[in-house]
Amino acid sequence: EVCSYDLSSGINAEYGAPDDLTTDLDSILNDPVFETGHKSKTKPAKVHQNLPKKCTVVYIGTNDNTFGQRSCPNIRCMKCDCRVVSFSDYEWDGDVEYLFLRNNYPDFEKLEPKLKSKKGSCAYACQCNSVSTQNQNPVNSVNKGLKWFCASH
């Protein structure tokens, strides 16, 4: 037996010293703040005041702001837990294989062989998926299989 405690007294039976956890719990439970009927004289802080902003709908595409929406600048993927990178004025050249993304993400120079220049397009990729778009669209309308979300900004 490595260590034994006398739970009724809060004393460490092996060393004879007060149990720090029991002492801490007693001091918390006896704190007047936790008494019933206690009324604070200060107003509670606004809970939502300092929370980071998150997009309710994640838009990707060019930031032409045609419909008053902007593309989300901080997108993450739920599948691979990687940040989504974007390349303005490029689009993906056909299908991009999973292993290509896995081995070359997020380095533009390594991804460039599968990218082609196209004015007004935007290529997006995480470590497991890629998509190109010319217009600003919600992520789920571009590809239903994408598990991309706003990671706040």
Side-chain angles (χ1 to χ4, degrees):
E1 185 175 325
V2 175
C3 188
S4 60
Y5 287 86
D6 179 1
L7 296 177
S8 62
S9 68
I11 302 292
N12 181 322
E14 184 177 349
Y15 300 106
D19 184 15
D20 290 336
L21 180 60
T22 304
T23 305
D24 290 344
L25 286 173
D26 285 341
S27 67
I28 290 170
L29 293 173
N30 293 327
D31 193 327
V33 172
F34 295 107
E35 291 179 10
T36 57
H38 176 74
K39 301 207 182 208
S40 175
K41 293 179 182 175
T42 60
K43 290 184 179 181
K46 291 184 180 179
V47 176
H48 302 289
Q49 185 174 2
N50 295 325
L51 290 178
K53 295 179 182 178
K54 285 193 172 191
C55 302
T56 51
V57 176
V58 178
Y59 283 88
I60 59 172
T62 57
N63 272 329
D64 61 7
N65 214 9
T66 307
F67 302 106
Q69 296 292 333
R70 294 192 56 81
S71 296
C72 182
N74 193 16
I75 303 172
R76 286 194 74 84
C77 177
M78 279 190 232
K79 285 184 179 179
C80 63
D81 194 30
C82 289
R83 185 176 181 277
V84 175
V85 293
S86 63
F87 307 106
S88 294
D89 295 326
Y90 284 92
E91 72 177 4
W92 293 107
D93 190 15
D95 288 335
V96 181
E97 293 178 12
Y98 168 82
L99 283 177
F100 177 80
L101 291 171
R102 191 86 177 138
N103 293 328
N104 299 304
Y105 166 92
D107 190 350
F108 175 76
E109 290 177 359
K110 290 181 178 180
L111 293 170
E112 195 172 16
K114 291 283 188 174
L115 290 165
K116 63 181 180 181
S117 181
K118 184 168 184 182
K119 186 84 173 148
S121 248
C122 200
Y124 289 85
C126 60
Q127 213 175 31
C128 66
N129 275 306
S130 63
V131 68
S132 298
T133 184
Q134 288 186 309
N135 303 316
Q136 196 171 52
N137 296 303
V139 168
N140 62 357
S141 71
V142 175
N143 182 336
K144 298 281 185 196
L146 293 176
K147 301 292 184 195
W148 293 354
F149 67 97
C150 175
S152 75
H153 34 102

